[in-house]
Amino acid sequence: MSYDPPPPSYPYRPPDSSPSYDAYPWLPQQPPEPPEPTGRRPQRHAALGHHSDLRLLRGAYRWQRRVATLTALGYFVLFLILSAFAPSLMTSTVTDGLPTGLLLALVQVPVTWLAIVLYERTARRRVDPIADRIRKQAELDNRREGTR
């Protein structure tokens, strides 16, 4: 048989917590303490999180993903549509014994490589310059903050 102590007759409240309601309305209310002023100067330029280059970077990265994805998936969907709706085309032979469907399936590998090349090319031309510019700006901001 276990022994459970009786519950306390009053609710326990930790000593450092204050009630969320006004326990003593007749006492004057304490105004909130003003925040301590810091010795920092306001920034002359917008913070990095609000920088328009970040929007440009997101747009360039979005464009990069779309180009690569639509290249690879577009060809694959075309292959599937031709397989489903044009079986006579897919079974016709291109050369002696090589059906068109097999040739189009084998072309999927170079198309995937093309998607990778397009991804790398758009990264070098559109995404990387913007990312480098943001990185340099962040380094400059960190140096400025370090000298204060």
Side-chain angles (χ1 to χ4, degrees):
M1 187 177 233
S2 69
Y3 173 75
D4 293 328
S9 60
Y10 58 91
Y12 174 74
R13 188 175 297 143
D16 60 330
S17 70
S18 61
S20 61
Y21 57 91
D22 192 13
Y24 305 105
W26 59 85
L27 292 177
Q29 296 292 324
Q30 296 290 331
E33 295 181 23
E36 294 183 22
T38 59
R40 302 173 83 185
R41 296 181 303 185
Q43 291 183 346
R44 282 183 254 155
H45 53 81
L48 186 61
H50 302 290
H51 208 275
S52 64
D53 281 345
L54 289 177
R55 274 180 285 173
L56 290 173
L57 181 64
R58 281 193 301 266
Y61 185 61
R62 195 175 303 124
W63 175 257
Q64 177 191 23
R65 288 182 310 206
R66 284 181 187 155
V67 166
T69 302
L70 290 177
T71 302
L73 287 180
Y75 181 81
F76 185 68
V77 168
L78 176 69
F79 176 74
L80 289 178
I81 289 172
L82 287 175
S83 297
F85 296 110
S88 61
L89 173 72
M90 299 299 272
T91 56
S92 65
T93 58
V94 178
T95 61
D96 292 332
L98 181 65
T100 307
L102 182 60
L103 180 66
L104 291 177
L106 292 175
V107 170
Q108 181 67 38
V109 174
V111 168
T112 304
W113 290 339
L114 176 68
I116 292 169
V117 167
L118 284 173
Y119 189 85
E120 290 289 325
R121 183 173 177 243
T122 55
R124 270 185 261 125
R125 293 182 73 205
R126 296 181 185 221
V127 178
D128 291 347
I130 300 170
D132 290 339
R133 187 170 53 219
I134 291 173
R135 190 175 300 117
K136 287 176 187 174
Q137 184 66 38
E139 289 172 2
L140 264 166
D141 289 345
N142 285 338
R143 284 190 206 136
R144 284 185 194 143
E145 289 295 322
T147 58
R148 290 184 184 177

